[in-house]
Amino acid sequence: MPLPILVSAGLLVALLGSALAHRSFFLAAYLVIVALVPAVPRERLRVLGVALAWIGIAVCVVSIVLVPLGARVSTVYLPGCAVLGVRVAALRAASTRAWALRTLDTPR
């Protein structure tokens, strides 16, 4: 598994703990889905992971606008935007693309 995926997964797990501590269960469940989608080296799943991360960024931005400024915004939603942005960058990295495409080229 490429290093960018492992780093972004570690950040997602840390944010998952913060989301659970602040009882943001919907975001916590969504982060689990985002973390697990590209675990299999397939190009379509990598593209799905990018799309899910972008949707997560949109959800965090909407939540920042709708939720009153407080602890949940500063410890869950703002870092959520950053972590999901890191996830998009990790899934678009050259090493991740090569990892996802390599399984198509290898004979079984």
Side-chain angles (χ1 to χ4, degrees):
M1 188 170 283
L3 185 61
I5 294 289
L6 294 175
V7 170
S8 67
L11 292 172
L12 283 170
V13 168
L15 184 63
L16 175 67
S18 177
L20 288 174
H22 286 279
R23 297 182 181 190
S24 183
F25 299 118
F26 171 76
L27 183 63
Y30 193 80
L31 290 172
V32 169
I33 292 169
V34 170
L36 292 178
V37 165
V40 179
R42 300 279 186 259
E43 179 63 18
R44 288 184 184 160
L45 287 178
R46 188 192 65 78
V47 172
L48 178 64
V50 170
L52 286 173
W54 279 116
I55 292 169
I57 290 172
V59 167
C60 286
V61 168
V62 168
S63 297
I64 288 169
V65 171
L66 296 179
V67 174
L69 189 61
R72 185 176 290 181
V73 170
S74 63
T75 59
V76 177
Y77 296 121
L78 287 175
C81 288
V83 168
L84 290 168
V86 168
R87 187 62 166 192
V88 169
L91 289 171
R92 289 185 171 179
S95 61
T96 305
R97 287 179 184 228
W99 175 68
L101 292 173
R102 184 183 62 216
T103 59
L104 297 176
D105 298 334
T106 57
R108 294 191 187 248

